[in-house]
Amino acid sequence: QVQVVESGGGLVQPGGSLRLSCVASGSIFRINAMAWYRQAPGKERELVATITRDGTTNYADSVRGRFTISGDDPKNSVYLQMSSLKLEDTAVYYCKQTLITWYQHAPALDYWGKGTLVTVSS
């Protein structure tokens, strides 16, 4: 009923930039929050950035100043603009959208995409 799909991953050189996109589709009544996570090989999944309905953003210390999260609620979309990329940014990036469907107005549930791979390498 609700599908979340990421796109924009790929191979980029250190110091380069990349923009990730995530769009949700289906019976969406309201999106409460959106977030990006990432998981590097052999490591736990970590929170990268969040944005709430009022536009408040938060970032992991490792990406603050380099990454920017933004949302477009009418389009059910969230974006992650990544700049000054480092080797340690290599990971599968996952999008999570916390939303309420038309079929139930409470509670809000988390919907995850399948991930998009970002590889930073020279």
Side-chain angles (χ1 to χ4, degrees):
Q1 296 182 12
V2 176
Q3 186 175 19
V4 176
V5 180
E6 305 99 333
S7 62
L11 177 64
V12 62
Q13 293 183 335
S17 299
L18 205 61
R19 180 181 172 88
L20 305 182
S21 299
C22 170
V23 59
S25 61
S27 302
I28 301 170
F29 175 70
R30 189 181 73 182
I31 298 174
N32 288 350
M34 299 181 284
W36 286 96
Y37 290 74
R38 69 184 181 185
Q39 187 167 21
K43 296 184 178 180
E44 296 182 356
R45 184 176 299 186
E46 65 173 342
L47 179 63
V48 176
T50 63
I51 183 167
T52 57
R53 188 169 181 82
D54 66 354
T56 301
T57 59
N58 287 281
Y59 297 91
D61 291 340
S62 59
V63 307
R64 186 176 293 108
R66 300 187 298 118
F67 291 10
T68 301
I69 187 172
S70 61
D72 188 341
D73 187 62
K75 296 182 179 180
N76 301 325
S77 298
V78 61
Y79 310 95
L80 187 68
Q81 179 66 50
M82 305 182 293
S83 300
S84 301
L85 284 163
K86 305 174 181 179
L87 296 178
E88 51 264 42
D89 293 321
T90 296
V92 176
Y93 284 72
Y94 298 91
C95 172
K96 183 185 76 174
Q97 302 208 27
T98 305
L99 57 85
I100 300 171
T101 67
W102 283 103
Y103 303 110
Q104 62 177 49
H105 288 185
L109 300 176
D110 294 334
Y111 293 84
W112 292 83
K114 294 182 178 180
T116 185
L117 177 62
V118 174
T119 302
V120 183
S121 176
S122 59

